[in-house]
Amino acid sequence: MWENNPWLIVTFALAILIMLLLDLGVFNKKSHEVSSKEAVTWSLVWISLSMAFSGLVYYYAGSTKFFEFQSAYWVEKALSVDNLFVFILVFKFFDVPNSSKHKVLFWGIIGALVLRAIFIFSGAFLIQLTYLNKILSYFGVDGFKYDINIIMTLFGLFLVYAGIKSWSSGDDDDEQDYNDTRGAKLIRRFFSVSEKYDGAKFFTYENGKKLATPLLVVVAVIEFTDLLFAVDSIPAIFAISNDPFILYTSNIFAILGLRALFFLLDNFIHLFNKLPYGLAFILSFIGVKMIISPFYHIESVTSLLVIGGILVLSVVLSIMFPDKAEV
């Protein structure tokens, strides 16, 4: 279908390229501490761009694709918040200067653009190969009436498990030693690491010897954290659509707004203390949707309303019942 609508593909590619070039080369050429005002402005810019693109999806591809885009976008946005909680802990653990956080997040998101492409397009390909009726037909068994997909069912079971585990996980991440993670170990395996930051540089010289700075370690930890996070988020969006273009574009628009969202979350974290419970419910809801989809189809607009309602309720409850430490 998208072959007949090349303008959507071109518009997406140009929008992402132009915004990244502006972000890196103009607005954030020098490392600086991002204020709440700047974070709000950039959040509104990215959300506006995302909604404008969804309008193009509606115009060229119809209401069904529009609701799929919207649902996938807000699911990714919501689940990303949970990932940002971990980013906050990582920055706190490594005592990253406020002026350098933006650079770490920028390169973390560049890595996410590549990883999401690999996961989404390879996942869509594998899903097409694992419908049970196709497999049975290959072995000469015809007439199986349910359109069960083996990978989607496994994804669904995993998401239900992940949702239940997230609900009861508590504050386990607070005690984690991020120097002991794979990302940190990988950098220390190939480079000698300085104990001091050198502005926003990834490498520095000490006594004539080239060393990696702790900032490079932080980028690696963030990249591996995002890789683990994708294990939850990518299966979740496959419950919404099997269209890789819709999934990738919605995913990327959501991810590109994460830096601004991070600084808002960092400054107003008390407004989101109940959100992890809402995200746990969303994961379980999506998992159930995947499992029952061969027998009962939940429309995209219904999923969007459920997900949106849970997110709003989570924030409202966070404001009404703040953590005691924030009172």
Side-chain angles (χ1 to χ4, degrees):
M1 180 185 70
W2 302 110
E3 294 81 358
N4 300 323
N5 298 293
W7 285 112
L8 270 178
I9 300 175
V10 172
T11 301
F12 169 73
L14 286 177
I16 299 305
L17 179 60
I18 291 171
M19 291 304 296
L20 287 177
L21 289 175
L22 287 174
D23 193 352
L24 183 62
V26 179
F27 297 111
N28 295 289
K29 192 172 183 179
K30 294 182 178 180
S31 296
H32 66 286
E33 184 174 347
V34 178
S35 66
S36 295
K37 181 180 179 181
E38 183 180 348
V40 169
T41 300
W42 273 104
S43 291
L44 292 175
V45 167
W46 280 114
I47 291 174
S48 298
L49 281 174
S50 305
M51 296 303 100
F53 186 80
S54 72
L56 292 177
V57 171
Y58 180 85
Y59 179 80
Y60 284 107
S63 59
T64 298
K65 294 297 181 182
F66 169 79
F67 285 120
E68 287 180 357
F69 180 95
Q70 287 284 341
S71 298
Y73 173 82
W74 290 111
V75 164
E76 179 65 28
K77 201 78 166 175
L79 295 178
S80 296
V81 173
D82 202 28
N83 205 33
L84 293 181
F85 280 118
V86 179
F87 288 3
I88 290 173
L89 295 176
V90 171
F91 286 139
K92 182 179 179 181
F93 180 87
F94 287 102
D95 196 21
V96 179
N98 289 332
S99 60
S100 299
K101 290 178 180 178
H102 184 277
K103 184 174 181 178
V104 173
L105 292 170
F106 179 88
W107 289 108
I109 286 171
I110 293 297
L113 298 181
V114 178
L115 289 174
R116 293 304 194 281
I118 295 171
F119 287 164
I120 289 173
F121 287 96
S122 61
F125 175 74
L126 289 173
I127 286 171
Q128 291 301 316
L129 297 178
T130 53
Y131 280 97
L132 189 56
N133 53 3
K134 290 183 179 179
I135 296 174
L136 292 175
S137 178
Y138 178 79
F139 289 102
V141 180
D142 297 316
F144 189 76
K145 64 178 182 178
Y146 295 113
D147 202 23
I148 297 174
N149 185 280
I150 296 173
I151 287 182
M152 293 284 280
T153 302
L154 292 175
F155 278 172
L157 291 170
F158 171 76
L159 289 176
V160 172
Y161 167 77
I164 295 171
K165 185 178 179 182
S166 295
W167 186 278
S168 58
S169 64
D171 299 321
D172 295 341
D173 289 329
D174 291 340
E175 306 299 326
Q176 185 166 347
D177 180 1
Y178 291 101
N179 268 318
D180 197 38
T181 57
R182 292 184 179 181
K185 289 179 178 179
L186 181 67
I187 296 299
R188 296 182 188 281
R189 180 178 178 181
F190 290 100
F191 303 102
S192 297
V193 179
S194 171
E195 295 184 358
K196 299 182 295 183
Y197 289 96
D198 185 5
K201 296 179 181 178
F202 291 136
F203 293 94
T204 188
Y205 285 90
E206 291 183 6
N207 300 320
K209 184 178 180 182
K210 188 176 183 180
L211 302 175
T213 68
L215 202 64
L216 186 64
V217 177
V218 176
V219 170
V221 172
I222 292 294
E223 291 286 7
F224 271 84
T225 300
D226 184 70
L227 179 63
L228 295 175
F229 161 72
V231 174
D232 285 346
S233 66
I234 298 303
I237 60 175
F238 273 113
I240 295 166
S241 175
N242 60 2
D243 186 331
F245 180 77
I246 287 291
L247 297 182
Y248 186 66
T249 54
S250 59
N251 213 264
I252 296 311
F253 272 114
I255 288 172
L256 287 172
L258 287 189
R259 281 165 300 155
L261 187 60
F262 168 85
F263 291 104
L264 284 178
L265 184 64
D266 200 15
N267 292 335
F268 302 102
I269 195 168
H270 60 284
L271 297 181
F272 301 93
N273 67 79
K274 300 295 186 295
L275 188 58
Y277 299 103
L279 297 179
F281 189 90
I282 288 173
L283 283 175
S284 296
F285 166 74
I286 294 173
V288 170
K289 178 183 177 181
M290 294 176 100
I291 294 169
I292 68 173
S293 61
F295 316 102
Y296 181 78
H297 176 65
I298 300 176
E299 297 292 340
S300 295
V301 63
T302 303
S303 297
L304 181 59
L305 290 172
V306 170
I307 292 164
I310 293 170
L311 291 177
V312 171
L313 181 61
S314 299
V315 175
V316 170
L317 291 176
S318 297
I319 296 172
M320 293 176 62
F321 305 101
D323 285 342
K324 292 181 179 180
E326 300 290 343
V327 177

